[in-house]
Amino acid sequence: MSERRTVALVTLGCARNEVDSEELAGRLAADGWDLVTDAGQADIAVVNTCGFVEAAKKDSVDALLEASDLKGAAGGRTRAVVAVGCMAERYGKELAEALPEADGVLGFDDYADISDRLQTILSGGRHTAHVPRDRRKLLPVSPAERQDGAAGVAVPGHGHGAPGDLPPGLAPASGPRAPLRRRLDSSPVASVKLASGCDRRCTFCAIPAFRGSFISRRPSDVLNEARWLAEQGVREIMLVSENNTSYGKDLGDIRLLEALLPELAAVDGLERIRVSYLQPAEMRPGLIEVLTGTEKVAPYFDLSFQHSAPGVLRAMRRFGDTDRFLELLDTIRTRAPRAGVRSNFIVGFPGESEADLAELERFLNGARLDAIGIFGYSDEDGTEAAGFDGKLAPEAVAERVERVTRLAEELTAQRAEERIGETARVLVEAVEPDGTAVGRGAHQAPETDGQITIGPGGGEPPRVGAFVEAEITGTEGVDLFAVQRAAAPGAEREPASAMAAGAAG
C-alpha cells in the first residue's frame, strides 16, 4: 500500500477563491490525497492567495510565512508549503524569488495537474514558477467565439475531464459536470461559480489581467453542481463571478441569468438562491423582476457602485451618477421594499475633489444600503490609474476613508434599526450550547453583511441548516437580534401583502 499523503488547503480572499480551493480539493482527493484541516498535520500546505489589494497581498504573504514556520515544528508533519491563487498567478516567478520560504508557486495552468505538481515538490523536486502573462489574450476578443476557443485555456472552476470512478463525496454525483469538487466544510451555504474573468476595463482594477476575459459556464454545468451541493446538505447557494450581470453574453443570450435562476430555484433541497457581483450599468428590468419575484431567489442586490460622482466614475471608466443610482434603488424597492442592498466604494481616487466626496456622501445618505465597504485608493501594479496625475497624499486618503466609514457605519446601523419588527426567514448556520442560533436573513450574504442572533426559546433549538421565522427585536451595528416565531416551510420571496404594503408606504 502506498504511503498516505496528506494536504491542507488554506484559503484567503473572496468566495471565488473558496470555490477554486474546493476544485483543487476535488482533484487531489480523486488522486488519493487525504485532506486535513490542520496545516500542521499535513505533509504539504497549499495556500490559496489573494492578489487584489495591498492588504490582501500582505495577508497572503503572512499566511505563507505562518505555514512555512510549521515545517520541522515539534509534533507536526508539514514538509512543504505551496502558493496558488491570484497572487501566485499575478506575480509567479517574482513571488517565488521574493519568498523563498515557499517551496512552490503554482499558477492557474497548474491546477489540472495539481496532484503531480505537489508530489514533485513533496519528493524534493522543484517546479519552475510560471512567468505571468496577460490572460485576457488567451481567449478570442469576440465573446461569441470564446466557448469554442477555450480548449486548452485554464480557467479555474471550468475544468473538464473528470474521471469516471470517483471516491465518495466528490462531484459529480448528479451527472457529468466540470470541475471536480470536494467540500471543505459542512456549512449549509456554498458558492457556485457562474463565470470567470471580466471584460470591463476599470482603471483601478488589475483582475482582468490575471483572471482573463469573461467566460460563462454552461447552464447545465451550473445546474448539475447545484444539484450535487444540495445532495451534500447545502440549503443556500450564492452565484459568484467577477460580473454576474454579463452571464450568457458569450453563450448568445445576455438574459440567460433570468432563465437560469428559476431552474436553480427548482432544484430539490435548495431553499435560497443568492446572486452576487452585479454591475449597476448592466442591470435590466427583466433581471430585477426575476430577482425580486422568483420563489426561493433572495431579493438581494450586491451592486458595484464604487463611487457616485460623475467625474470620478468617468476617470474609473465606469458609468452612472448619484441620481441614476438612486433611481435604480427606487425601482428595486418598489418591487421589493425589504430587498437587501450592499456595495463597496473607493475614496481618494486620483483627482477626487471635496465636491466629489460630498456627492458620494449625498448618495450614501439617500441610498439606505444594508452593508457598505469603504476602501482607500492605492496604486495597483499594471493598472491605468497608477499613472494618473492628481494623486492624493496617503494621509488625505486615510482621512477620507475614516470620514466616509463613520458615515457608512451610522447609516447602516440606521438601516438595521428600520428592520425592527420585521419577520425574517433565517438560515441557521450555528447553534450555541445554550440554544442560541446564529444565521442570516435574505438581505444578508455570508461573511459581509452581518448576521441574525436568535435567542434561546422554550422549545427545541433549531438545527443547523434549518430555516426559521424570526421577529427582529434589536440591533447592534448591522447585526440583528430576534426571537423565533415558527418553522418556515414557505418561500424566500416576501409575501405579496408585505410587498404591496411597503410599496404603498
Side-chain angles (χ1 to χ4, degrees), residues 74-93:
R77 60 182 290 165
T78 309
R79 293 155 52 195
V81 174
V82 171
V84 299
C86 291
M87 190 176 180
E89 173 62 38
R90 185 176 180 184
Y91 294 104
K93 186 178 180 181

Side-chain angles (χ1 to χ4, degrees), residues 68-237:
S68 180
D69 288 341
L70 297 173
K71 291 187 289 187
R77 60 182 290 165
T78 309
R79 293 155 52 195
V81 174
V82 171
V84 299
C86 291
M87 190 176 180
E89 173 62 38
R90 185 176 180 184
Y91 294 104
K93 186 178 180 181
E94 181 183 345
L95 177 62
E97 292 173 349
L99 199 70
E101 291 87 350
D103 300 283
V105 175
L106 306 181
F108 298 151
D109 294 331
D110 294 305
Y111 281 22
D113 300 309
I114 187 69
S115 179
D116 289 343
R117 299 287 188 266
L118 296 191
Q119 185 59 57
T120 296
I121 293 167
L122 198 57
S123 300
R126 301 290 298 180
H127 180 72
T128 303
H130 77 107
V131 176
R133 52 181 172 168
D134 189 339
R135 298 192 74 85
R136 291 171 293 190
K137 299 178 180 178
L138 302 183
L139 292 170
V141 173
S142 169
E145 298 174 2
R146 287 180 190 160
Q147 294 290 328
D148 293 334
V153 177
V155 185
H158 297 240
H160 295 279
D165 185 18
L166 299 179
L170 262 70
S174 298
R177 73 154 197 89
L180 293 171
R181 182 170 181 173
R182 166 64 71 87
R183 297 216 67 204
L184 293 173
D185 61 37
S186 58
S187 169
V189 60
S191 296
V192 174
K193 189 169 285 191
L194 195 61
S196 289
C198 186
D199 287 341
R200 302 184 71 87
R201 294 296 179 261
C202 301
T203 57
F204 57 83
C205 185
I207 288 176
F210 60 83
R211 277 287 184 179
S213 297
F214 185 89
I215 185 167
S216 305
R217 293 182 66 198
R218 294 190 176 277
S220 58
D221 287 345
V222 177
L223 282 164
N224 280 330
E225 183 169 357
R227 293 186 186 107
W228 176 78
L229 287 168
E231 292 166 0
Q232 304 301 304
V234 169
R235 308 297 304 282
E236 173 183 333
I237 62 168

Side-chain angles (χ1 to χ4, degrees), residues 17 43 53 125 136 150 158 162 192 195 249 269 300 340 415 428 447 505:
N17 253 18
D43 295 316
V53 294
R136 291 171 293 190
H158 297 240
V192 174
K249 72 175 185 178
Y300 176 81
R415 177 62 176 152
V428 176
E447 307 295 334

Side-chain angles (χ1 to χ4, degrees), residues 280-281 305 307-314 318-329 345 359-360 362-363:
F305 289 120
H307 212 283
S308 74
V312 176
L313 287 168
R314 301 306 173 267
R318 297 177 66 85
F319 306 96
D321 55 46
T322 295
D323 293 332
R324 288 188 212 177
F325 291 163
L326 291 176
E327 288 173 7
L328 172 60
L329 294 175
F345 300 88
E359 183 68 2
L360 173 58
R362 180 171 81 88
F363 171 68

